[in-house]
Amino acid sequence: MAYRLLIHSAKQVVFVAKNGEKVLVGDGQKVAIMESEGIDGISIVIDKEGNIKEIGEDTEMQKKYSPEEFDQTIDATGLCILPGLVDGHTHPVWDGDRVHEFAMKLAGATYMDVHKAGGGINFTVERTKAATEEQLFTSFRERLDRMLAAGTTLVECKSGYGLNLETELKMLRVIERAKHDLPIDVSSTYCGAHSVPKGYTASEATDDIINVQIPHLKALIDGGELSVDNIDVFCEKGVFDVDQSRKILVAGKKIGLNINFHGEELNLLNSAQMGAEIGAMAISHLEEVSDDGIDAMAKAGCVATILPTTAYILRLKQPPVRKMIERGVPVALGTDFNPNAFCLSLPLVMHLACVNLHMTMDEALIGATLNAAASLGKATTHGSIEVGKVGDFVILDAPRWEHLIYQMAGHDHIIKYVVKNGKIVKERK
């Protein structure tokens, strides 16, 4: 066949952006849409490589292409087409759930209370160290499959439940395997500075990461054994301070990794200014960010990756998203999927962002598509429906695209197809 996929007769195509924008900010966050009113419908042609070749009215496409030229065809009569969703922040490789900690949080325990009691990250670290690589991949694959069913076609995946070289590399190998074996795009993040390992001071852990772990990681990347995209640090009071975080992040940047880290979650440390200064591509959380930090991020073009599930589950102060948008910071969204915030659904995250963070539905969709792609350096290929970009789509059985957000936790009902690189990977029968 000459082409991989033809989608025809669509009621609505949500481009998100249609002029090659790499990010959308401020008042410019209005999604671009093509409606079928007055025409037969809308068609999208995906080429043999899985990229978008052409978008147009059915009648025009029928003159150019024959149905026999396509591997697959989707009749999208009455359906809405959106770009594949992009999850900008997840921790999906681990063993051992923390359901018992949920009761502690409901009783009033803070994140750091749980951490000091031996729970939190360190609880998961012990179980992840003990798990085999195959065990980790099995659970990871199932989680990614559930994300895919909820419309996510590109996801950022972190290590960070090892805290030593051996286990961090085990997690990164699991993530690397998913890049090759599973029908979802993965942006991998080395997060060896997720917590201070037992028996170490933060200073000792910093030295180990910079002088042992990162050089070893570089050798594996240079040798083609791993492909790692980003470096992350949990910059927080009682974990890694601003100076230690800066040293680790700069060391990662020197070996070619994008800076994409946790900042200003529980305490204001001015890590946003530090991240802007060293060229961070994105900073996550930002519940406690200051006005000066917001301005620094806006000036640097640093993406704010907002995680509505975290503030919701931990009952934290909501991040000042409206202020970020008004001051020109690009805002992306992520599920923050991890044992503390067990959420695999970006549609639910978009709903929370609208209700709790006062984002518009347009802003939420942009945050879960183009801006999330920008946070991962992938906005030239992902995040919008434009000629030349990857053929990733979420196709809704709904009269308007907004139903994906409006129908809280209803994605399993309204998502009819998920398409990855022009191939149908999920179909609701």
PDB file of all heavy atoms in Angstrom, residues 38 68 89 110 115 122 131 145 169-170 178 185 193 203 216 274 306 334 357 381 384 393 418:
ATOM      1  N   GLY A  38     -21.160  22.461   6.397  1.00  0.00           N
ATOM      2  CA  GLY A  38     -21.183  22.936   5.023  1.00  0.00           C
ATOM      3  C   GLY A  38     -20.363  22.102   4.053  1.00  0.00           C
ATOM      4  O   GLY A  38     -20.353  22.362   2.860  1.00  0.00           O
ATOM      5  N   GLU A  68      -8.093   2.035  -1.945  1.00  0.00           N
ATOM      6  CA  GLU A  68      -7.242   0.846  -2.100  1.00  0.00           C
ATOM      7  C   GLU A  68      -5.764   1.133  -1.828  1.00  0.00           C
ATOM      8  O   GLU A  68      -4.960   0.206  -1.704  1.00  0.00           O
ATOM      9  CB  GLU A  68      -7.392   0.268  -3.509  1.00  0.00           C
ATOM     10  CG  GLU A  68      -8.751  -0.351  -3.789  1.00  0.00           C
ATOM     11  CD  GLU A  68      -9.843   0.684  -4.031  1.00  0.00           C
ATOM     12  OE1 GLU A  68      -9.499   1.835  -4.405  1.00  0.00           O
ATOM     13  OE2 GLU A  68     -11.034   0.354  -3.820  1.00  0.00           O
ATOM     14  N   HIS A  89       5.060  14.359  32.731  1.00  0.00           N
ATOM     15  CA  HIS A  89       5.749  14.038  33.984  1.00  0.00           C
ATOM     16  C   HIS A  89       5.154  12.767  34.580  1.00  0.00           C
ATOM     17  O   HIS A  89       4.014  12.758  35.048  1.00  0.00           O
ATOM     18  CB  HIS A  89       5.572  15.209  34.964  1.00  0.00           C
ATOM     19  CG  HIS A  89       6.284  15.055  36.274  1.00  0.00           C
ATOM     20  ND1 HIS A  89       7.211  15.973  36.730  1.00  0.00           N
ATOM     21  CD2 HIS A  89       6.194  14.124  37.253  1.00  0.00           C
ATOM     22  CE1 HIS A  89       7.650  15.613  37.920  1.00  0.00           C
ATOM     23  NE2 HIS A  89       7.048  14.477  38.256  1.00  0.00           N
ATOM     24  N   THR A 110       1.542  14.781  56.448  1.00  0.00           N
ATOM     25  CA  THR A 110       2.065  15.489  55.287  1.00  0.00           C
ATOM     26  C   THR A 110       2.986  14.568  54.491  1.00  0.00           C
ATOM     27  O   THR A 110       3.371  13.484  54.952  1.00  0.00           O
ATOM     28  CB  THR A 110       2.865  16.730  55.705  1.00  0.00           C
ATOM     29  OG1 THR A 110       4.061  16.302  56.391  1.00  0.00           O
ATOM     30  CG2 THR A 110       2.055  17.639  56.610  1.00  0.00           C
ATOM     31  N   HIS A 115       7.435  10.550  54.614  1.00  0.00           N
ATOM     32  CA  HIS A 115       8.836  10.343  54.227  1.00  0.00           C
ATOM     33  C   HIS A 115       9.695  10.021  55.453  1.00  0.00           C
ATOM     34  O   HIS A 115      10.482   9.059  55.442  1.00  0.00           O
ATOM     35  CB  HIS A 115       9.337  11.598  53.521  1.00  0.00           C
ATOM     36  CG  HIS A 115      10.708  11.486  52.935  1.00  0.00           C
ATOM     37  ND1 HIS A 115      10.964  10.805  51.758  1.00  0.00           N
ATOM     38  CD2 HIS A 115      11.912  11.967  53.352  1.00  0.00           C
ATOM     39  CE1 HIS A 115      12.258  10.874  51.491  1.00  0.00           C
ATOM     40  NE2 HIS A 115      12.848  11.576  52.438  1.00  0.00           N
ATOM     41  N   ASN A 122      11.419   6.321  49.717  1.00  0.00           N
ATOM     42  CA  ASN A 122      12.333   5.287  50.215  1.00  0.00           C
ATOM     43  C   ASN A 122      11.651   3.922  50.342  1.00  0.00           C
ATOM     44  O   ASN A 122      12.296   2.878  50.168  1.00  0.00           O
ATOM     45  CB  ASN A 122      12.938   5.712  51.554  1.00  0.00           C
ATOM     46  CG  ASN A 122      13.976   6.805  51.379  1.00  0.00           C
ATOM     47  OD1 ASN A 122      14.634   6.898  50.340  1.00  0.00           O
ATOM     48  ND2 ASN A 122      14.127   7.662  52.377  1.00  0.00           N
ATOM     49  N   ALA A 131      13.115  -5.961  43.004  1.00  0.00           N
ATOM     50  CA  ALA A 131      12.397  -6.500  41.837  1.00  0.00           C
ATOM     51  C   ALA A 131      13.363  -6.796  40.699  1.00  0.00           C
ATOM     52  O   ALA A 131      14.383  -6.117  40.523  1.00  0.00           O
ATOM     53  CB  ALA A 131      11.344  -5.510  41.375  1.00  0.00           C
ATOM     54  N   ASP A 145       0.097   0.773  28.759  1.00  0.00           N
ATOM     55  CA  ASP A 145      -1.066   0.371  27.984  1.00  0.00           C
ATOM     56  C   ASP A 145      -2.313   1.100  28.468  1.00  0.00           C
ATOM     57  O   ASP A 145      -3.158   1.510  27.661  1.00  0.00           O
ATOM     58  CB  ASP A 145      -1.252  -1.143  28.078  1.00  0.00           C
ATOM     59  CG  ASP A 145      -2.319  -1.654  27.126  1.00  0.00           C
ATOM     60  OD1 ASP A 145      -2.129  -1.519  25.899  1.00  0.00           O
ATOM     61  OD2 ASP A 145      -3.349  -2.163  27.601  1.00  0.00           O
ATOM     62  N   LEU A 169      20.173   2.224  36.648  1.00  0.00           N
ATOM     63  CA  LEU A 169      20.407   1.696  35.304  1.00  0.00           C
ATOM     64  C   LEU A 169      19.406   0.595  34.965  1.00  0.00           C
ATOM     65  O   LEU A 169      18.967   0.479  33.813  1.00  0.00           O
ATOM     66  CB  LEU A 169      21.833   1.167  35.179  1.00  0.00           C
ATOM     67  CG  LEU A 169      22.938   2.217  35.237  1.00  0.00           C
ATOM     68  CD1 LEU A 169      24.306   1.558  35.105  1.00  0.00           C
ATOM     69  CD2 LEU A 169      22.750   3.288  34.167  1.00  0.00           C
ATOM     70  N   LYS A 170      19.006  -0.186  35.949  1.00  0.00           N
ATOM     71  CA  LYS A 170      17.977  -1.209  35.725  1.00  0.00           C
ATOM     72  C   LYS A 170      16.674  -0.553  35.273  1.00  0.00           C
ATOM     73  O   LYS A 170      16.035  -1.009  34.309  1.00  0.00           O
ATOM     74  CB  LYS A 170      17.757  -2.018  37.009  1.00  0.00           C
ATOM     75  CG  LYS A 170      16.671  -3.075  36.901  1.00  0.00           C
ATOM     76  CD  LYS A 170      16.651  -3.985  38.132  1.00  0.00           C
ATOM     77  CE  LYS A 170      16.210  -3.256  39.389  1.00  0.00           C
ATOM     78  NZ  LYS A 170      16.048  -4.189  40.539  1.00  0.00           N
ATOM     79  N   ALA A 178      10.922  -0.250  26.496  1.00  0.00           N
ATOM     80  CA  ALA A 178       9.595   0.228  26.085  1.00  0.00           C
ATOM     81  C   ALA A 178       9.678   1.088  24.831  1.00  0.00           C
ATOM     82  O   ALA A 178       8.773   1.059  23.993  1.00  0.00           O
ATOM     83  CB  ALA A 178       8.946   1.008  27.221  1.00  0.00           C
ATOM     84  N   ASP A 185       5.314   6.555  22.328  1.00  0.00           N
ATOM     85  CA  ASP A 185       6.602   7.241  22.359  1.00  0.00           C
ATOM     86  C   ASP A 185       6.972   7.588  23.795  1.00  0.00           C
ATOM     87  O   ASP A 185       6.118   8.021  24.583  1.00  0.00           O
ATOM     88  CB  ASP A 185       6.556   8.516  21.519  1.00  0.00           C
ATOM     89  CG  ASP A 185       6.583   8.226  20.026  1.00  0.00           C
ATOM     90  OD1 ASP A 185       7.129   7.175  19.640  1.00  0.00           O
ATOM     91  OD2 ASP A 185       6.055   9.039  19.247  1.00  0.00           O
ATOM     92  N   ALA A 193      18.653  11.719  41.465  1.00  0.00           N
ATOM     93  CA  ALA A 193      18.558  12.630  42.616  1.00  0.00           C
ATOM     94  C   ALA A 193      17.107  12.830  43.033  1.00  0.00           C
ATOM     95  O   ALA A 193      16.673  13.936  43.335  1.00  0.00           O
ATOM     96  CB  ALA A 193      19.207  13.965  42.274  1.00  0.00           C
ATOM     97  N   SER A 203      25.024  15.879  50.475  1.00  0.00           N
ATOM     98  CA  SER A 203      26.300  16.228  49.854  1.00  0.00           C
ATOM     99  C   SER A 203      26.994  14.990  49.287  1.00  0.00           C
ATOM    100  O   SER A 203      27.514  15.013  48.156  1.00  0.00           O
ATOM    101  CB  SER A 203      27.215  16.916  50.872  1.00  0.00           C
ATOM    102  OG  SER A 203      28.454  17.231  50.298  1.00  0.00           O
ATOM    103  N   HIS A 216      29.098   7.129  34.269  1.00  0.00           N
ATOM    104  CA  HIS A 216      28.735   5.789  33.816  1.00  0.00           C
ATOM    105  C   HIS A 216      27.590   5.858  32.813  1.00  0.00           C
ATOM    106  O   HIS A 216      27.602   5.152  31.786  1.00  0.00           O
ATOM    107  CB  HIS A 216      28.346   4.922  35.017  1.00  0.00           C
ATOM    108  CG  HIS A 216      28.410   3.453  34.734  1.00  0.00           C
ATOM    109  ND1 HIS A 216      29.455   2.654  35.138  1.00  0.00           N
ATOM    110  CD2 HIS A 216      27.556   2.642  34.067  1.00  0.00           C
ATOM    111  CE1 HIS A 216      29.247   1.410  34.744  1.00  0.00           C
ATOM    112  NE2 HIS A 216      28.086   1.377  34.092  1.00  0.00           N
ATOM    113  N   MET A 274      16.835  29.607  39.552  1.00  0.00           N
ATOM    114  CA  MET A 274      18.020  28.808  39.238  1.00  0.00           C
ATOM    115  C   MET A 274      17.811  28.039  37.936  1.00  0.00           C
ATOM    116  O   MET A 274      18.680  28.022  37.054  1.00  0.00           O
ATOM    117  CB  MET A 274      18.308  27.835  40.385  1.00  0.00           C
ATOM    118  CG  MET A 274      19.516  26.925  40.171  1.00  0.00           C
ATOM    119  SD  MET A 274      19.092  25.350  39.330  1.00  0.00           S
ATOM    120  CE  MET A 274      18.205  24.494  40.631  1.00  0.00           C
ATOM    121  N   ILE A 306       2.663  21.396  35.170  1.00  0.00           N
ATOM    122  CA  ILE A 306       1.770  21.425  36.328  1.00  0.00           C
ATOM    123  C   ILE A 306       1.142  20.051  36.525  1.00  0.00           C
ATOM    124  O   ILE A 306       0.747  19.381  35.570  1.00  0.00           O
ATOM    125  CB  ILE A 306       0.685  22.502  36.120  1.00  0.00           C
ATOM    126  CG1 ILE A 306       1.339  23.879  35.907  1.00  0.00           C
ATOM    127  CG2 ILE A 306      -0.277  22.534  37.292  1.00  0.00           C
ATOM    128  CD1 ILE A 306       2.237  24.338  37.032  1.00  0.00           C
ATOM    129  N   GLY A 334       0.883  17.185  33.398  1.00  0.00           N
ATOM    130  CA  GLY A 334       1.329  15.802  33.539  1.00  0.00           C
ATOM    131  C   GLY A 334       0.497  15.108  34.591  1.00  0.00           C
ATOM    132  O   GLY A 334      -0.082  15.755  35.473  1.00  0.00           O
ATOM    133  N   LEU A 357      -7.630  24.582  39.035  1.00  0.00           N
ATOM    134  CA  LEU A 357      -6.601  25.570  38.693  1.00  0.00           C
ATOM    135  C   LEU A 357      -7.137  26.684  37.801  1.00  0.00           C
ATOM    136  O   LEU A 357      -6.385  27.578  37.416  1.00  0.00           O
ATOM    137  CB  LEU A 357      -5.432  24.870  37.980  1.00  0.00           C
ATOM    138  CG  LEU A 357      -4.788  23.701  38.744  1.00  0.00           C
ATOM    139  CD1 LEU A 357      -3.651  23.107  37.933  1.00  0.00           C
ATOM    140  CD2 LEU A 357      -4.298  24.136  40.107  1.00  0.00           C
ATOM    141  N   THR A 381       7.564  17.637  16.374  1.00  0.00           N
ATOM    142  CA  THR A 381       7.039  16.370  15.862  1.00  0.00           C
ATOM    143  C   THR A 381       5.709  15.955  16.490  1.00  0.00           C
ATOM    144  O   THR A 381       4.959  15.189  15.888  1.00  0.00           O
ATOM    145  CB  THR A 381       8.047  15.232  16.099  1.00  0.00           C
ATOM    146  OG1 THR A 381       8.425  15.228  17.498  1.00  0.00           O
ATOM    147  CG2 THR A 381       9.297  15.417  15.255  1.00  0.00           C
ATOM    148  N   SER A 384       0.371  18.514  17.983  1.00  0.00           N
ATOM    149  CA  SER A 384      -0.652  19.167  17.162  1.00  0.00           C
ATOM    150  C   SER A 384      -0.854  18.349  15.891  1.00  0.00           C
ATOM    151  O   SER A 384      -0.028  17.500  15.545  1.00  0.00           O
ATOM    152  CB  SER A 384      -0.256  20.603  16.814  1.00  0.00           C
ATOM    153  OG  SER A 384       0.950  20.636  16.065  1.00  0.00           O
ATOM    154  N   PHE A 393      -3.342  10.308  17.050  1.00  0.00           N
ATOM    155  CA  PHE A 393      -4.658  10.907  17.217  1.00  0.00           C
ATOM    156  C   PHE A 393      -5.449  10.228  18.323  1.00  0.00           C
ATOM    157  O   PHE A 393      -5.285   9.042  18.592  1.00  0.00           O
ATOM    158  CB  PHE A 393      -5.483  10.792  15.924  1.00  0.00           C
ATOM    159  CG  PHE A 393      -4.766  11.257  14.692  1.00  0.00           C
ATOM    160  CD1 PHE A 393      -4.296  10.334  13.767  1.00  0.00           C
ATOM    161  CD2 PHE A 393      -4.540  12.603  14.459  1.00  0.00           C
ATOM    162  CE1 PHE A 393      -3.629  10.738  12.626  1.00  0.00           C
ATOM    163  CE2 PHE A 393      -3.870  13.027  13.323  1.00  0.00           C
ATOM    164  CZ  PHE A 393      -3.415  12.098  12.408  1.00  0.00           C
ATOM    165  N   VAL A 418      -7.580   5.186  19.366  1.00  0.00           N
ATOM    166  CA  VAL A 418      -6.282   5.826  19.587  1.00  0.00           C
ATOM    167  C   VAL A 418      -5.382   5.361  18.455  1.00  0.00           C
ATOM    168  O   VAL A 418      -5.258   4.151  18.198  1.00  0.00           O
ATOM    169  CB  VAL A 418      -5.665   5.464  20.955  1.00  0.00           C
ATOM    170  CG1 VAL A 418      -4.303   6.131  21.108  1.00  0.00           C
ATOM    171  CG2 VAL A 418      -6.597   5.870  22.096  1.00  0.00           C
TER     172      VAL A 418
END
